[in-house]
Amino acid sequence: MGMMVVFWSPFPGQAGTTTSLLASATCMGLEYSSRMLLLGLLREEDEAVQRAFYTPEKNPSSLPDTGMDALLRLLQNRKLEGSMLRDYAQPLLRERLDVLPGSAKPSAGFAGMAERWLEPLLDTARRAYDVVLLDGGSGTAPGWREELRNWADLLVVCLPQNRLLLERFFQSPESALLSARKAIFVFGQFDPASSLTINNLQRRFRWQQRAFSVMHNTGWLDAVQQGEAIPYWFRNRKTMRQHENHHFVRQVRALAHALIEDVGMNQPLFSGKEDKP
């Protein structure tokens, strides 16, 4: 049985949740041999995933009978088996990283199906893949997204480098519940020149979870807007310390390593075995 990792932020649009998820998934797919599935549940979330890996003319998300909706229909008709799931996903890196297009249904329509069918669908995904990576959205409203966080084997809590918002979070019920969860913190769009360093923030708020920073990187943001996520990583994996992308890549690699270790799937590639885009 595979493991499910959910990226989530309590603050919409503040913590670079999708950026950190895409960077981690790309790094893990290129540097580890576990079979992984990257999953955007709704079409508006899936669009960011598709844009990161496919140029507009090659985007497969509009193909019929693929993705989340096709799988939900099979599940409702009791025809879905774990071995079938890969036929409905799109391969990004052969035998290592696939992406599953999200549902085309509006959020309200998807919520009704998610309450009944999402958990068995994710269980099927975990039987088919070693690691399932999901964008859990943002906010703290109850509903299927809250259930999604509860189902996660590892919860990646994406936080902003903002003292006021952090004060609110660490005084919230959600923060208190994390002590009983397997979770790590990620500070996305991080500014290394700020006095709000990870060490200073940890002394102030005294959390127990491990914390990572993923700094703002213009080159990466441009790459994920142009379908160049995988080529970007190939170009920058072995940059020198003086290179403008070196520290960003190093931070993402540290986060990816922590994720793969925490889910017990640390199987690095050997002998230079890689798939080029």
Side-chain angles (χ1 to χ4, degrees), residues 6-277:
V6 176
F7 281 63
W8 164 77
S9 176
F11 305 108
Q14 295 283 333
T17 305
T18 302
T19 299
S20 296
L21 169 60
L22 294 173
S24 301
T26 306
C27 180
M28 293 163 69
L30 286 169
E31 300 192 2
Y32 296 91
S33 60
S34 297
R35 187 72 187 254
M36 288 173 279
L37 176 67
L38 178 58
L39 177 57
L41 295 174
L42 295 175
R43 182 56 54 86
E44 54 263 32
E45 297 167 355
D46 175 60
E47 286 177 352
V49 175
Q50 297 292 334
R51 185 182 296 118
F53 296 107
Y54 297 101
T55 56
E57 61 272 14
K58 296 182 179 180
N59 192 331
S61 62
S62 60
L63 296 175
D65 295 323
T66 61
M68 176 69 69
D69 290 332
L71 293 176
L72 286 172
R73 287 195 297 271
L74 289 172
L75 189 62
Q76 289 176 294
N77 293 324
R78 302 184 185 278
K79 295 181 179 180
L80 180 63
E81 299 178 3
S83 59
M84 301 165 59
L85 194 143
R86 295 179 184 176
D87 295 332
Y88 290 84
Q90 300 292 333
L92 296 174
L93 293 164
R94 188 180 55 176
E95 299 298 322
R96 299 206 299 277
L97 181 62
D98 294 348
V99 60
L100 183 71
S103 173
K105 298 180 182 299
S107 181
F110 181 77
M113 297 187 67
E115 290 179 359
R116 181 176 182 183
W117 299 109
L118 185 56
E119 186 174 14
L121 177 60
L122 293 175
D123 283 342
T124 303
R126 290 169 64 201
R127 289 195 295 272
Y129 290 87
D130 299 319
V131 185
V132 180
L133 298 158
L134 296 101
D135 188 336
S138 59
T140 58
W144 66 268
R145 288 192 184 276
E146 182 181 24
E147 292 298 316
L148 178 65
R149 298 195 296 273
N150 293 334
W151 298 330
D153 298 296
L154 174 63
L155 183 63
V156 182
V157 182
C158 299
L159 297 172
Q161 195 180 13
N162 181 309
R163 185 164 180 165
L164 176 60
L165 293 181
L166 292 175
E167 287 174 352
R168 293 176 184 173
F169 172 70
F170 285 108
Q171 294 171 5
S172 69
E174 289 77 17
S175 174
L177 291 173
L178 289 178
S179 60
R181 299 291 313 275
K182 190 171 186 178
I184 64 175
F185 292 156
V186 174
F187 291 82
Q189 302 299 325
F190 196 80
D191 180 0
S194 171
S195 62
L196 297 178
T197 64
I198 295 290
N199 288 338
N200 288 342
L201 290 171
Q202 190 162 24
R203 281 194 293 269
R204 170 67 179 82
F205 296 108
R206 301 181 183 277
W207 65 72
Q208 300 300 314
Q209 293 82 0
R210 286 176 301 157
F212 298 85
S213 60
V214 176
M215 64 189 296
H216 176 90
N217 183 270
T218 302
W220 171 251
L221 295 178
D222 285 346
V224 298
Q225 291 292 320
Q226 299 164 4
E228 295 287 322
I230 292 175
Y232 172 95
W233 210 261
F234 269 108
R235 290 194 304 269
N236 291 282
R237 288 175 67 195
K238 298 180 180 180
T239 56
M240 302 296 290
R241 182 179 296 273
Q242 297 80 10
H243 194 278
E244 61 182 354
N245 297 328
H246 173 80
H247 293 294
F248 170 77
V249 170
R250 183 179 179 183
Q251 289 176 345
V252 173
R253 183 174 284 126
L255 172 59
H257 181 75
L259 296 177
I260 208 77
E261 284 279 347
D262 277 11
V263 297
M265 300 292 176
N266 187 358
Q267 304 170 45
L269 294 173
F270 297 101
S271 303
K273 177 185 175 184
E274 297 176 343
D275 297 312
K276 294 190 177 182

